[in-house]
């Protein structure tokens, strides 16, 4: 495996910036230390330039001496950076100012910190000697500079010769999962087998080695035929089976979602994390024993794992189906032995199907490959050996410059001729190496960082890019902010088929993504060798780090192994810590990290008050996520984290922040509250003083927020504001204070605004608001009798959600003229069905004359339409209506009907969420919608789910 030059480059670049800042400060230093720091900076700058030259040569051309020297450079850079950060923290409180009093303070400071300054001076001298030794060792052992022309020779064929922003950014979309190419016949054949025949429980095993498309085929079956079953779920088994986690995942998917406060003993999943295997099995059996269910179990590795899974599932005779994917014929035989089953053996794609897949990924399905490229294309495809993973990886590489003959020729020459004979896993690794080496240094860092996440994990885009930024991988370039550059890098990895999009937000951006198993295994191995990420307890066993751990990811696949491994590690230099699921099996010393910059404990159990107190001593933290953790309040010392940029406390019980958060002057993203229960984080004066905020999500406004509202104007950098509730809001002065702040912020940087007024009537004042012409996203929930009068002037509006708006054809005619509107939702919260809500619903029906007409003119950009209410009037889509609409979502208890669905020319998905309390007449309407959709030429998928309420 090759050394990741990008990781070394990132460490060096970060350190040089800190050394420059340190030299610019007037710290009280021991004599000569400043000159030592200057020497270190100059020496490392030379090393950095040398590393960049090495980076222009293909990594596999480096000999062992060069690779060893590069590792030494990286390690000394890491240690110097740790020392500098410690120095800055411990001695950064030097008194400033002029005059006698300031002079006395500086003198007292110099005496009080004398021993600390001497200790740090000694460390700096030692590090200077190490840096000098590393520099001399290069020439002593003959590590040669490849020269300034390294990027022009054969060794540099993989060096990127373009900027990410040269490639057009993908437009917003909703349907990310395209139908698999070359598997149409298998899908039709297996689909018939799944949906027809005897009512017995049947098992289908899909078998093939890695990269053949087992999961792709199984997901296509689940997506296309799953809606014909009453309940369905998709889970992953993996090499180290966690049966309890698998059963919990099934239950969460097959049981209708219901907020805890509305649940009864029979329908609640409250406390599911503490249920035993026996309780999980009993709950699953009780829910599914009378239902026809479809279950996809992906990646089963052993017969014993299958037997555990099979023994946990209800065995009914209602025509239920289970699809199993596995690499092993023995598992397939076992899964189909005791019940009616079938085995489908996957094979490599034929030449014709390989070409179709290749063209789909590069030319969007058209066979528009230039004639002069066809011979080169055929040679490349021959080397890909009919393996879908290899084809899409090479296609992603070629798509970087799809019209460059020289680029295609270089890729062809770089693929070994041995691949033509037999594409082995080692051959796939060679292809992945080629794709990896084509990335820039920063992009390599971003890719290696994915090894933090467990196999099969859905990775949230925003969570990932914010962590990239906190780690220092992203810098402003080409006139773009770090957030925009991070999004570019993410989109680049998607475009290259290195990561795949799983789900999209309602604004059309990728919400979650996933990494193919074989690609993730490659990334984990490379990251481990570079000592970039250390994964403990993960799916693949990696070598113990021979030196200091820099970034630690704790998985729970093998907790006993993880515990033993951690106890043998040097954790004093950890910069990033991520824990998945639980901290209970790890010792508390894992929190003694003074130089930690990223701490991600999303969804972790076992977080204690002691842990939180230790977090407040992690003075260099930039990213802190406690999302979904059992936390009631944050320590009063949280304000000491002066470098903190992201604080995520969503779906916790934290309702108010300590006053010290006012000291968090670099906070950019404050994420709180609970979107499901509408529990908000109280807006306080301390929050109003966090002037660097760009995202303020999940806050609540109440009477005690009065003093803070006057200072909300200070948040001039705010781009996104989400207010989850407005409580006890009966003062007109307070209402106008909030309205004034919103009006001011929409004239600054605010692009996204969401308000739920909790039926206080605040939204009635929105008409008096000056037109927020720069808003891109607007969500208004509560007592809103009509659309605001200025809504038609929002020429930049892309996403609009209106709750409790009077649904009328007139309102739709107004909204139809918004030129770039991508997503439109009308909703009524099922949790708010009080007397006032039902009156509005009845009024909706009366005002609309019992029906809503979707006009044939307008909505030229709309791709998502969502209606959500207990009672929906008749919806009629006129001929030519919403020409780009891809997805239609309806959530209801009673639906009068939906006519003209076949008139939606671009429709691809229809999602119907029906209340369990729906009358029989509603089921008739659902059947009618199915029939209407079946006539559509696009053959859209129809998914019917149920919910409590």
């Amino acid at each position: 495996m090759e050394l990741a030059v990008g990781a070394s480059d990132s460490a060096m670049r970060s350190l040089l910036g800190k050394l420059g800042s340190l030299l610019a400060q007037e710290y009280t230093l021991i004599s000569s230390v400043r000159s030592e720091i200057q020497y270190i900076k100059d020496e490392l700058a030379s090393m950095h330039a040398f590393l960049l030259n090495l980076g222009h040569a293909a990594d596999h051309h480096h000999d062992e001496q060069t690779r060893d020297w590069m590792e030494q450079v990286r390690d000394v850079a890491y240690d110097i950076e740790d020392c500098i950060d410690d120095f800055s923290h411990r001695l950064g409180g030097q008194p400033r100012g002029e005059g006698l009093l300031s002079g006395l303070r500086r003198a007292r400071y110099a005496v009080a910190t004398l021993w600390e300054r001497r200790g740090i001076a000694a460390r700096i001298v030692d590090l200077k000697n190490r840096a000098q030794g590393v520099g001399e060792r290069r020439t002593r052992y003959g590590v040669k500079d490849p020269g300034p022309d390294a990027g022009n020779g054969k060794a540099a064929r993989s060096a990127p010769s373009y900027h990410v922003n040269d490639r057009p950014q993908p437009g917003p979309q909703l349907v990310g999962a395209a139908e698999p190419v070359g598997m149409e016949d298998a899908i039709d054949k297996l689909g018939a087998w799944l949906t027809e025949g005897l009512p017995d429980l049947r098992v289908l095993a899909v078998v093939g080695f890695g990269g053949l498309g087992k999961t792709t085929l199984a997901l296509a079956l689940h997506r296309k035929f799953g809606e014909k079953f009453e309940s369905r779920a998709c889970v992953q088994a993996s090499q180290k089976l966690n049966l309890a986690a698998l059963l919990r995942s099934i239950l969460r998917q097959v049981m209708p979602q219901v907020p805890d406060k509305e649940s009864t003993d029979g329908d609640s999943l409250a406390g599911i994390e503490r249920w035993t295997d026996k309780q999980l099995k009993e709950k699953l059996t009780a829910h599914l024993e009378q239902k026809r269910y479809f279950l996809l179990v992906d990646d089963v590795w052993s017969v014993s794992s299958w037997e555990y899974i099979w023994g946990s599932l209800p065995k009914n005779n209602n025509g239920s189906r289970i699809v199993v994917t596995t690499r092993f014929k023995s598992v397939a035989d076992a899964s189909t032995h005791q019940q009616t089953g079938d085995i489908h053996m996957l094979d490599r794609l034929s030449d014709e199907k390989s070409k179709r897949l290749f063209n789909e990924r590069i030319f969007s399905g058209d066979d528009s490959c230039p004639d002069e490229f066809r011979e080169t294309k055929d040679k490349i495809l021959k080397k890909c050996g009919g393996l879908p993973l290899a084809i899409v990886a090479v296609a992603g590489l070629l798509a970087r410059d799809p019209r460059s003959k020289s680029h295609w020729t270089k890729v062809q020459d770089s693929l070994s001729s041995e691949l033509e004979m037999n594409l082995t896993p080692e051959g796939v690794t060679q292809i992945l190496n080629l794709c990896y080496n084509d990335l820039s240094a920063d992009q390599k860092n971003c890719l290696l960082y994915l090894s933090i996440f467990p196999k099969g994990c859905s990775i949230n885009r925003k969570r990932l890019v914010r962590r990239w930024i906190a780690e220092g991988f992203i810098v402003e370039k080409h006139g773009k902010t770090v957030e925009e550059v991070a999004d570019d890098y993410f989109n680049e990895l998607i475009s290259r088929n290195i990561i795949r999009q799983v789900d999209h937000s309602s604004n059309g951006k990728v919400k979650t993504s996933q990494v193919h198993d074989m690609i993730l295994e490659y990334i984990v191995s490379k990251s481990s060798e570079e000592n970039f990420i250390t994964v403990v307890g993960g799916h693949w066993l990696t070598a113990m780090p021979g030196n200091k751990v820099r970034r630690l990811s704790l998985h729970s696949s093998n907790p006993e192994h993880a515990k033993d491994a951690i106890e043998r590690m040097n954790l004093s230099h950890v910069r990033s810590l991520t824990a998945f699921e639980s901290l209970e099996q790890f010792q508390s010393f894992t929190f003694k990290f003074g130089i930690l910059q990223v701490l991600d404990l999303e969804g972790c159990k076992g977080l204690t008050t002691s842990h939180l107190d230790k977090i407040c001593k992690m003075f260099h933290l930039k990213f802190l996520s406690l999302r979904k953790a059992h936390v009631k309040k944050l320590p009063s010392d949280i304000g000491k984290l002066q470098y903190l940029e992201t604080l995520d406390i969503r779906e916790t019980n934290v309702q108010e922040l300590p006053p010290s958060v006012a000291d968090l002057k670099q906070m950019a993203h404050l994420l709180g509250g609970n979107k499901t229960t509408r529990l908000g984080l109280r807006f306080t004066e301390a929050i109003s003083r966090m002037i660097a905020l760009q995202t303020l999500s999940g806050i609540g406004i109440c009477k005690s927020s009065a003093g803070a509202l006057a200072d909300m104007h200070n948040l001039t950098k705010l781009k996104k504001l989400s207010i989850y509730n407005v409580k006890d809001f009966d003062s007109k002065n307070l209402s106008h204070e909030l309205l004034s702040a919103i009006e001011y912020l929409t004239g600054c940087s605010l692009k996204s605004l969401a308000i739920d007024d909790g039926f206080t009537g605040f939204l009635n004042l929105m008409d008096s608001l000056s037109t927020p012409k720069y808003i891109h996203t607007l969500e208004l929930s509560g007592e809103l009798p009509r659309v605001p009068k200025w809504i038609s002037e929002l020429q930049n509006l892309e996403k609009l959600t209106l709750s409790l708006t009077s649904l009328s054809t007139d309102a739709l005619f107004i909204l139809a003229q918004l030129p770039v509107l991508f997503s439109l939702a009308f909703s009524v919260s099922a949790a708010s069905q009080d007397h006032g809500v039902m009156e509005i619903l009845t009024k909706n029906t009366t005002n609309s004359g019992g029906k809503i007409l979707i006009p044939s003119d307008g909505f030229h950009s709309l791709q998502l339409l969502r209606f959500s209410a207990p009672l929906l009037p008749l919806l009629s889509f006129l001929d030519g209506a919403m020409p780009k609409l891809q997805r239609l979502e309806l959530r209801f208890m009673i639906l009068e009907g939906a006519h003209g669905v076949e008139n939606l020319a671009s429709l691809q998905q229809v999602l119907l969420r029906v209340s369990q309390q729906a009358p029989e007449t509603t089921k008739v309407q659902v059947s009618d919608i199915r029939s209407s959709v079946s006539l559509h030429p696009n053959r859209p998928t129809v998914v019917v789910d149920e919910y409590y309420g």
Side-chain angles (χ1 to χ4, degrees):
M1 303 293 282
E2 293 78 13
L3 187 68
V5 178
S8 303
D9 175 63
S10 174
M12 190 69 76
R13 188 177 57 204
S14 170
L15 175 56
L16 290 174
K18 290 181 179 181
L19 286 169
S21 298
L22 181 61
L23 289 170
Q25 303 296 323
E26 295 181 358
Y27 288 102
T28 302
L29 299 172
I30 298 296
S31 177
S32 81
V33 168
R34 183 176 296 278
S35 62
E36 305 284 6
I37 294 175
Q38 183 66 58
Y39 178 90
I40 290 174
K41 182 176 183 297
D42 295 341
E43 183 73 5
L44 292 183
S46 297
M47 292 182 187
H48 185 218
F50 190 88
L51 279 176
L52 291 178
N53 272 346
L54 289 176
H56 289 311
D59 285 355
H60 55 268
H61 287 272
H62 299 321
D63 57 28
E64 290 298 323
Q65 289 179 333
T66 301
R67 291 156 56 84
D68 181 65
W69 181 81
M70 293 169 72
E71 290 179 2
Q72 292 179 39
V73 173
R74 178 201 62 204
D75 291 341
V76 74
Y78 281 155
D79 289 349
I80 293 172
E81 184 176 24
D82 291 345
C83 177
I84 297 304
D85 284 346
D86 181 54
F87 175 85
S88 300
H89 170 68
R90 291 164 59 186
L91 301 183
Q94 178 182 358
R96 308 290 181 181
E98 302 293 335
L100 178 61
L101 185 58
S102 295
L104 292 173
R105 287 174 178 168
R106 283 196 296 275
R108 185 171 59 184
Y109 169 84
V111 173
T113 61
L114 179 62
W115 287 107
E116 282 191 350
R117 288 183 290 117
R118 283 183 172 176
I120 290 174
R123 287 173 60 192
I124 289 176
V125 170
D126 178 62
L127 289 168
K128 176 236 181 178
N129 293 333
R130 278 185 61 191
Q132 186 177 23
V134 170
E136 293 172 350
R137 205 169 291 123
R138 179 177 70 83
T139 55
R140 188 185 314 151
Y141 292 106
V143 178
K144 297 179 180 180
D145 190 337
D149 298 326
N152 299 327
K154 180 178 179 181
R157 281 177 179 163
S158 62
S161 59
Y162 75 107
H163 297 304
V164 171
N165 63 337
D166 290 341
R167 181 186 295 196
Q169 290 303 306
Q173 63 181 93
L174 292 168
V175 184
E179 289 302 312
V181 177
M183 296 183 177
E184 297 84 358
D185 294 341
I187 291 173
D188 291 340
K189 175 186 172 183
L190 297 176
W193 187 90
L194 290 168
T195 56
E196 300 171 2
L198 300 175
D200 297 337
L201 176 61
R202 309 176 77 180
V203 178
L204 171 66
V206 180
V207 190
F209 61 86
L212 272 180
K214 300 183 300 297
T215 303
T216 300
L217 174 60
L219 287 173
L221 293 171
H222 185 267
R223 185 168 57 249
K224 188 168 184 178
F225 301 103
E227 58 90 18
K228 299 182 182 297
F229 296 79
E230 295 176 89
S231 293
R232 55 200 164 275
C234 176
V235 292
Q236 187 172 68
S238 293
Q239 190 169 356
K240 299 169 185 175
L241 177 67
N242 185 332
L243 183 61
L246 183 140
L247 296 179
R248 282 194 292 268
S249 180
I250 295 175
L251 277 170
R252 288 192 174 105
Q253 293 178 65
V254 300
M255 291 192 67
Q257 298 300 303
V258 55
D260 288 343
K261 65 181 182 180
E262 296 181 12
S263 65
T264 63
D265 291 340
D267 58 37
S268 175
L269 292 178
I272 188 174
E273 294 291 342
R274 296 185 295 275
W275 292 358
T276 64
D277 287 359
K278 181 181 178 181
Q279 290 174 308
L280 291 167
K281 293 176 186 178
E282 291 174 349
K283 187 74 170 181
L284 193 60
T285 299
H287 185 73
L288 291 181
E289 62 182 350
Q290 300 300 324
K291 293 188 175 183
R292 185 169 182 256
Y293 66 85
F294 184 110
L295 176 62
L296 168 55
V297 185
D298 188 29
D299 201 23
V300 180
W301 274 70
S302 67
V303 173
S304 60
S305 292
W306 166 252
E307 290 174 346
Y308 282 126
I309 297 170
W310 174 249
S312 305
L313 300 176
K315 316 297 190 300
N316 60 36
N317 291 316
N318 298 329
S320 296
R321 301 289 184 262
I322 302 173
V323 175
V324 177
T325 71
T326 180
R327 299 184 184 188
F328 308 101
K329 183 66 163 53
S330 59
V331 174
D333 291 336
S335 65
T336 57
H337 175 63
Q338 295 180 338
Q339 54 282 334
T340 305
D342 192 17
I343 297 177
H344 180 76
M345 300 292 298
L346 271 181
D347 200 0
R348 299 170 187 267
L349 295 179
S350 65
D351 290 347
E352 184 59 35
K353 290 179 179 179
S354 295
K355 290 179 182 178
R356 285 179 51 206
L357 178 58
F358 184 83
N359 290 334
E360 177 71 30
R361 293 307 178 105
I362 295 188
F363 304 112
S364 301
D366 298 329
D367 189 10
S368 57
C369 179
D371 291 337
E372 64 269 25
F373 287 15
R374 292 189 183 277
E375 182 180 353
T376 306
K377 180 184 76 171
D378 291 342
K379 291 180 179 179
I380 290 174
L381 284 176
K382 190 173 183 180
K383 292 181 179 181
C384 289
L387 191 68
L389 177 62
I391 294 171
V392 298
V394 173
L397 175 60
L398 293 171
R400 187 252 284 177
D401 198 355
R403 301 291 175 180
S404 170
K405 179 67 181 297
S406 61
H407 178 53
W408 283 52
T409 303
K410 287 179 181 179
V411 171
Q412 177 205 325
D413 293 345
S414 299
L415 293 172
S416 170
S417 58
E418 297 174 0
L419 297 180
E420 298 181 26
M421 305 302 295
N422 184 20
L423 186 58
T424 62
E426 290 74 20
V428 175
T429 298
Q430 183 191 135
I431 292 174
L432 295 178
N433 266 330
L434 188 64
C435 298
Y436 174 81
N437 289 329
D438 191 62
L439 297 171
S440 69
D442 290 338
Q443 292 166 0
K444 288 177 181 177
N445 291 334
C446 294
L447 177 59
L448 291 182
Y449 203 68
L450 297 174
S451 60
I452 281 177
F453 299 94
K455 178 183 177 184
C457 177
S458 289
I459 305 169
N460 181 275
R461 177 183 61 86
K462 288 185 178 180
R463 177 188 186 187
L464 177 64
V465 299
R466 285 169 181 160
R467 289 186 53 152
W468 283 346
I469 293 170
E471 293 277 9
F473 301 155
I474 313 295
V475 295
E476 296 180 3
K477 58 179 63 176
H478 313 307
K480 293 187 175 184
T481 64
V482 288
E483 289 82 8
E484 291 170 335
V485 174
D487 280 339
D488 285 345
Y489 285 0
F490 181 85
N491 291 331
E492 184 69 11
L493 295 180
I494 291 284
S495 299
R496 288 171 174 261
N497 302 319
I498 295 175
I499 57 178
R500 69 177 184 89
Q501 47 203 335
V502 174
D503 193 19
H504 289 76
S505 298
S506 54
N507 62 3
K509 290 187 176 181
V510 176
K511 183 177 182 180
T512 56
S513 62
Q514 211 169 47
V515 186
H516 188 282
D517 294 351
M518 292 187 72
I519 296 178
L520 181 59
E521 184 176 7
Y522 170 86
I523 295 171
V524 168
S525 176
K526 183 174 284 293
S527 181
S528 174
E529 181 170 319
E530 169 70 0
N531 195 26
F532 189 67
I533 307 285
T534 300
V535 177
V536 178
H539 180 83
W540 296 283
L541 292 179
T542 55
M544 287 283 293
N547 44 22
K548 307 175 186 71
V549 175
R550 298 292 297 183
R551 298 177 183 88
L552 180 62
S553 180
L554 306 177
H555 300 185
S556 57
S557 301
N558 193 340
E560 288 304 317
H561 167 76
K563 187 175 181 180
D564 294 340
I566 288 176
E567 291 176 352
R568 300 196 301 271
M569 289 181 182
N570 180 356
L571 301 177
S572 60
H573 292 259
V574 171
R575 287 273 175 166
S576 170
L577 173 63
T578 308
F580 293 91
E581 292 192 24
S582 178
L583 288 169
E584 294 170 352
Q585 68 267 35
F586 302 114
Q587 299 292 336
S588 60
F589 68 75
T590 58
F591 273 70
K592 297 177 181 178
F593 303 138
I595 59 173
L596 203 70
Q597 291 181 318
V598 172
L599 179 60
D600 194 335
L601 305 177
E602 181 173 322
C604 268
K605 302 187 297 292
L607 194 63
T608 66
T609 302
S610 174
H611 288 143
L612 294 175
D613 290 337
K614 290 176 180 177
I615 289 173
C616 292
K617 297 178 181 178
M618 300 175 183
F619 303 109
H620 294 281
L621 266 186
K622 294 182 179 180
F623 179 98
L624 173 60
S625 176
L626 305 174
R627 186 177 184 180
K628 298 182 181 178
H630 297 159
V631 179
K632 293 184 178 179
K633 67 177 183 178
L634 298 182
S636 58
D637 289 342
I638 192 73
K640 292 183 178 179
L641 305 180
Q642 57 183 305
Y643 299 109
L644 197 61
E645 297 171 354
T646 297
L647 175 61
D648 191 347
I649 49 174
R650 288 173 290 182
E651 299 172 72
T652 65
N653 292 320
V654 178
Q655 299 184 43
E656 185 171 350
L657 295 178
S660 67
V661 297
D663 297 327
L664 303 178
K665 300 302 183 184
Q666 297 191 40
M667 179 71 73
H669 307 287
L670 177 57
L671 313 168
N674 189 312
K675 197 169 186 177
T676 302
T677 63
R678 310 310 289 180
L679 177 68
L681 179 69
R682 189 166 74 86
F683 184 73
T684 60
E685 185 177 353
I687 296 177
S688 71
R689 292 165 61 187
M690 300 164 72
I691 57 176
L693 276 178
Q694 298 178 33
T695 304
L696 178 55
S697 178
I699 63 169
I701 306 293
C702 56
K703 284 184 177 179
S704 58
S705 304
L709 288 177
D711 295 325
M712 185 181 277
H713 298 71
N714 297 330
L715 307 180
T716 56
K717 295 182 180 179
L718 206 59
K719 297 179 181 178
K720 179 178 180 179
L721 173 63
S722 297
I723 300 174
Y724 279 0
N725 59 62
V726 181
K727 297 188 295 187
D728 306 321
F729 217 82
D730 53 5
S731 168
K732 288 187 177 180
N733 289 334
L734 293 180
S735 297
H736 287 292
E737 196 76 62
L738 176 58
L739 193 68
S740 173
I742 291 173
E743 187 171 63
Y744 181 78
L745 294 176
T746 55
C748 298
S749 301
L750 198 66
K751 298 293 188 298
S752 175
L753 174 65
I755 305 174
D756 187 335
D757 76 349
F759 297 93
T760 59
F762 172 75
L763 293 183
N764 289 323
L765 302 175
M766 294 300 287
D767 270 349
S768 62
L769 189 73
S770 296
T771 304
K773 60 179 66 177
Y774 304 113
I775 286 288
H776 290 190
T777 299
L778 180 64
E779 300 181 37
L780 302 177
S781 305
E783 190 176 339
L784 187 67
R786 62 187 178 278
V787 297
K789 62 182 181 181
W790 37 256
I791 201 92
S792 60
E793 301 176 45
L794 303 184
Q795 300 299 298
N796 298 306
L797 191 64
E798 298 171 355
K799 176 182 174 182
L800 176 63
T801 299
L802 299 174
S803 296
L804 290 184
T805 302
S806 179
L807 304 182
S808 67
T809 300
D810 290 344
L812 285 171
F813 271 101
I814 295 173
L815 300 177
Q817 306 311 312
L818 295 174
V820 296
L821 189 63
F822 179 88
S823 166
L824 175 61
F826 294 97
S827 64
V828 176
S829 173
S832 305
Q833 294 181 37
D834 59 15
H835 211 48
V837 175
M838 296 313 295
E839 285 182 2
I840 291 178
L841 291 173
T842 304
K843 184 179 179 182
N844 283 341
T845 305
T846 302
N847 289 349
S848 64
K851 63 181 178 181
I852 300 290
L853 293 176
I854 311 297
S856 57
D857 184 31
F859 291 117
H860 296 299
S861 300
L862 195 71
Q863 294 191 35
L864 169 64
L865 177 62
R866 178 184 295 141
F867 287 101
S868 175
L871 172 61
L872 283 179
L874 176 65
L875 303 175
S876 294
F877 299 90
L878 301 182
D879 187 23
M882 300 180 172
K884 293 185 179 180
L885 192 74
Q886 291 186 16
R887 190 160 77 197
L888 174 64
E889 298 181 11
L890 304 177
R891 186 180 190 273
F892 53 88
M893 179 189 299
I894 299 174
L895 172 65
E896 297 297 328
H899 295 167
V901 175
E902 65 276 10
N903 292 328
L904 300 171
S906 302
L907 190 65
Q908 298 184 42
Q909 293 180 344
V910 177
L911 176 58
L912 306 177
R913 290 192 171 95
V914 186
S915 169
Q916 275 202 329
Q917 302 176 20
E920 287 297 320
T921 54
T922 295
K923 296 180 180 179
V924 173
Q925 295 296 343
V926 170
S927 179
D928 289 345
I929 293 175
R930 284 182 183 272
S931 298
S932 179
V933 173
S934 67
L935 301 175
H936 198 291
N938 293 349
R939 299 176 65 187
T941 57
V942 179
V943 178
V944 181
D945 280 330
E946 59 182 3
Y947 70 92
Y948 288 113

